[in-house]
Amino acid sequence: MRPHLLEISAFGPFPGTVTVDLDDLGSAGLLLLHGATGAGKTSVLDALGYALYGQVPGDRGLRGLRSEHTTGFEETSVRLTFSAGGRRLRVRRSPEQTVPKQRGSGVTTRKAAVLLEELAPVPRALSTRIDEAAEIIEAAVGMTASQFFQVVVLPQGRFAAFLQAPAAQRQDLLQKLFGTQRFADVEAALKRRRDELRAELDGLSSDLRAAVALLGHVSLSLPDTVPDGPALDWARARRVSLAAAAEAAEALVERRAVAEGQAREAVEAASRLAELRARKAALLARQEALVSASVAADGLRQRLQAARAAAPVALDVARLLALRAGRPPLVLAVSSAASSLADAVALCPGLSGPALALERAALDRLAVTVPMLAVERDLVAREVALAAASAAVQDAEQRHVAAEAELVSLRQRVARLTESLAVDQVAVVGLPAVQSLVDAARDRASAAAQLPAAQALAVEADAFLQSARAAALDAREVWLDLRTRRLLGIAAELAASLVPGEACAVCGGLDHPHPAAPSSDAVTEVDERAARELFEAADLAVEPAREAVALAASVVTELRARAGDGVLDQVAEAELARLEVLSAGLALRTADLEQANADLDRASVRVDETEAALTLSRTGLAGLAGATDEQRAQVVAARDGAASVAEREGLLRLLVEAAGVAVAAEAALAEADARQAELETELMASVVGFDSLDAVVEAVLSPEETDAVEATLREHDDEVAAVRSQLDDPELAVDLEPAVDLDAARSAAAQAREALSASIDERASVAARATQAAELTARIERAEVALAPARGRFDEVAGLAELAAGGAGNRLRMSLTSFVLAARLEQVAARASVRLAHMTSGRFTLLHSDEVADARSRSGLGLAVQDVWTGTQRPTSSLSGGESFMTALSLALGLADVVAEEAGGRRIDTLFVDEGFGTLDEKALDRVMEVLDTLRDGGRLVGVVSHVEELQRRVPARLEVVRTETGSYLRPHHAPVGY
């Protein structure tokens, strides 16, 4: 896979659209991606990975891809043009994101989208589906996302951790990269099959044991009678025994059913006789009770007669009762009103008398008090204003004192600055002359320093001109050669355009019996045109090279004229430095003096202003205090001892209200007493036959009460007649003695029913157990037949599963997956050792180990370092920071080679190495860069991601990520021609 053009919009730290032309920047094969920490170097690689796979390296996920610096409507997207699998493709992706609405306010959510195109021979869309585009890209690149991020984007931090990781973590990473899931699937399949067969075997054994136990329970056998071995004969004997017991239970049910019928008939006869005797006894008892109730009935008849005599005055009696019932509330109201009036009088000293007089006196006082409410409110506002005026006077006094103190301090500072400035002005008189001498010397030295570089550039420009001329001549020869070969094979080219039945463009004939066939190395028009375009491009490059030679020569001539002897005057430099320091100090003190004079003028103005403000504040305070004292005296008199005029008004209104309520209550009670006396006199004159008014009141019944008394008397008379009629029934002509023993008959019948029910239950239980015994016997027979072959199958598969999992006597305890990955890790270590030996000047090589680390670990994925200087193997944990980085880089590159072979042997045209160079010294960095330099052979692009400044000198082709307050942008630095 080779990327050509990467376009990033509103992505990560990039608020706008940035473009990375990797064909242009990566033409030299080695590219440095650098910038400050947090500028967005890793975001460029994130954009590359997201464009290809819709993922970003690491565990960051897709949240936060949209740039936080983007505030407009620009969509977050990444577009990548790349070549892979012999195809030139372009993919554009955008994540799900929230953006402002095009119309109106608010935001809207855009779904994730993708567009995959193929650019050759003509652009055409391949897919807009995320899943389908992922399949096409993965097939073209030949790698999964995890393989790509480990092989193309080499994360050094992860491989440093990989060196120290235990075997289980190494296995997880290697399994993802090498796609050995199928071997893990084999292990899992064997384990699942073993577990299935174990479950089957356990199920058969459990079924046999359960069937034997159930049959023992069903047949009521004791635990020691259940056999441990083959149980079929025992089961068959249990089945025969239970069948005989079922026949005996059926005969017992038939005998007990006859006895139960006879007992039921005896109970019915006894119950009928007992019912008749009980009915007769109840009627006799009720007759006796009715005789006793006749006395009460006679009293009700007399009560009804008195009510009929008092009926004409019933309405007057009701009115009298209503008046009597209404008097207690009126008495209570008079008492309550008197109490409330006494409370109100206590709150208003100086007022007394009956309720009506108090009401009039309080109203007179209110007429005087109400107008004073406004006066009191105005007094409150005046007192607030008086307090504010007093505070203003104090504040004006403080500001005036502070202004006078500041004026004195500024006058002293102006005097000090004026004296110091006069001394410094004398000291810097000679500065212009010394500056002129030093500037001339510096120009000569600068020209002398630039001259060697300019001379070298002139030599390089001349060499580039010669190279451009040679390239143009070579391209012209290639083009003319292809043109000649095409003309020789033009007949075949024309023959390819012939169509049967259409005229030939050369001879006009309609038949084409012998069209010329193209040769295997035929040159097409496209080939010739491409060669001509290459020649024209090479020829165009000659003139800029010529201009560069002339420009370099003119620069060298100018620098030689300016350089002279190129010697600096050290004494003049020192004197200039001293005078420049004095001059800088003089400028600062001049500015300080100007500022101090301006501050002095402003302070003088502030003193005058604060003095005028103080005088004005004192005059206002005196006038406001006199008016406030006069008004305060009026309000105190209006309060009449209350906390405020408003409170005094409220107490008077409360007294008026209490007096009014008392007057009304007394009048209502007097009126009610008069009406009651008048009604009592009229009532006694209207009735005859009653001794007193209370007797009349007691005799009156309401219509409902009269109806109830009459209904009670009718019910009594009707019941007496009914009882007498029932006792005359011939069926009740029975003796009440002797008593019937119904309980004995019922007890005998219950015993018969219980015996029958027990025999029926026993019959059902025995029949069910006989049926279960037959079924369990058949189940035992099936289980014994299936158990032996199931045990054989389980033993066979369990042995295979144990072997694949690294057991079964395996000394190294190496599983099938570990065995395969160990072979791959051995290949990786061998590839890594070649590069590690070069980086460490032959000192270190990387070794693969399959020794067991401890009793709890599995073997096969161990790594160690062979130290040639000491002749010993060292654990990777003993390496220094720089040594760990070189080892991790070698391991990553070796792993990239092996994974590429696993991915179909596809060539990896692009590698990005991320960070870690800061741990290397200068010599180690030289060796690492030599290894990386070899990786660009054959046109491969190697990208180095680092903020180490030394790499900026070593790698001329650079892409700088520049961070600003509003986001980051990219600044390319191209390598010189010929690098």
Side-chain angles (χ1 to χ4, degrees), residues 836-897:
L836 181 59
H838 184 85
M839 292 182 190
T840 60
S841 300
R843 178 181 180 184
F844 292 132
T845 56
L846 194 62
L847 300 178
H848 163 254
S849 172
D850 57 6
E851 293 298 323
V852 179
D854 54 58
R856 295 173 297 176
S857 303
R858 294 187 180 273
S859 61
L861 300 179
L863 287 173
V865 175
Q866 179 69 40
D867 190 342
V868 176
W869 290 3
T870 61
T872 60
Q873 286 189 16
R874 294 171 52 184
T876 55
S877 59
S878 66
L879 297 174
S880 66
E883 293 168 348
S884 293
F885 167 71
M886 291 187 288
T887 306
L889 177 59
S890 301
L891 180 65
L893 295 173
L895 186 62
D897 292 340

Side-chain angles (χ1 to χ4, degrees), residues 3-295:
H4 303 298
L5 185 66
L6 178 63
E7 298 176 62
I8 307 171
S9 297
F11 185 95
F14 305 107
T17 298
V18 295
T19 302
V20 184
D21 189 345
L22 292 168
D23 284 343
D24 184 22
L25 284 172
S27 59
L30 192 59
L31 170 65
L32 174 64
L33 179 60
H34 69 101
T37 300
K41 302 186 293 298
T42 303
S43 294
V44 176
L45 301 185
D46 288 348
L48 178 65
Y50 177 70
L52 287 172
Y53 293 99
Q55 304 177 28
V56 295
D59 302 323
R60 296 182 296 278
L62 298 182
R63 290 181 297 178
L65 293 186
R66 182 166 176 81
S67 176
E68 296 179 354
H69 300 284
T70 297
T71 58
F73 298 94
E74 186 168 8
E75 181 183 22
T76 296
S77 65
V78 178
R79 183 163 63 179
L80 174 67
T81 303
F82 65 100
S83 298
R87 307 169 71 178
R88 190 177 182 91
L89 304 172
R90 180 169 62 202
V91 60
R92 183 185 185 277
R93 287 187 191 270
S94 59
E96 181 176 296
Q97 55 195 285
T98 300
V99 297
K101 291 183 178 178
Q102 294 287 349
R103 294 181 179 178
S105 60
V107 295
T108 184
T109 300
R110 294 181 182 173
K111 298 295 184 182
V114 65
L115 172 61
L116 178 62
E117 301 173 282
E118 185 167 10
L119 302 181
V122 293
R124 65 187 182 94
L126 295 179
S127 179
T128 57
R129 288 173 45 192
I130 294 177
D131 54 348
E132 184 179 44
E135 294 176 359
I136 296 173
I137 292 176
E138 186 172 318
V141 177
M143 297 182 188
T144 64
S146 60
Q147 289 176 328
F148 180 86
F149 291 139
Q150 294 292 346
V151 172
V152 176
V153 182
L154 303 182
Q156 292 306 314
R158 287 194 177 185
F159 279 95
F162 181 79
L163 284 173
Q164 317 299 336
Q169 294 182 12
R170 285 181 183 160
Q171 179 167 329
D172 290 342
L173 174 60
L174 294 174
Q175 188 167 337
K176 291 178 182 177
L177 292 177
F178 290 111
T180 57
Q181 184 60 41
R182 59 188 184 278
F183 300 105
D185 292 342
V186 170
E187 294 182 36
L190 286 172
K191 291 179 181 178
R192 286 195 303 272
R193 184 55 181 159
R194 178 197 62 193
D195 295 341
E196 290 171 359
L197 291 176
R198 177 185 287 120
E200 179 185 357
L201 180 61
D202 292 345
L204 289 172
S205 299
S206 177
D207 191 44
L208 178 59
R209 290 192 299 271
V212 169
L214 283 175
L215 184 55
H217 174 72
V218 167
S219 62
L220 304 180
S221 297
L222 296 176
D224 56 359
T225 65
V226 178
D228 293 332
L232 188 56
D233 293 340
W234 171 83
R236 288 171 178 168
R238 296 293 91 201
R239 181 185 61 188
V240 171
S241 175
L242 286 172
E247 294 178 358
E250 180 65 29
L252 180 61
V253 168
E254 293 175 356
R255 293 194 300 271
R256 289 183 174 176
V258 173
E260 191 273 336
Q262 295 172 349
R264 187 172 60 253
E265 292 175 355
V267 170
E268 291 175 356
S271 297
R272 179 59 180 165
L273 179 58
E275 179 184 351
L276 291 174
R277 288 179 174 178
R279 181 181 170 193
K280 184 176 182 179
L283 288 172
L284 292 174
R286 183 56 184 160
Q287 188 179 46
E288 184 177 354
L290 289 173
V291 172
S292 300
S294 297
V295 177

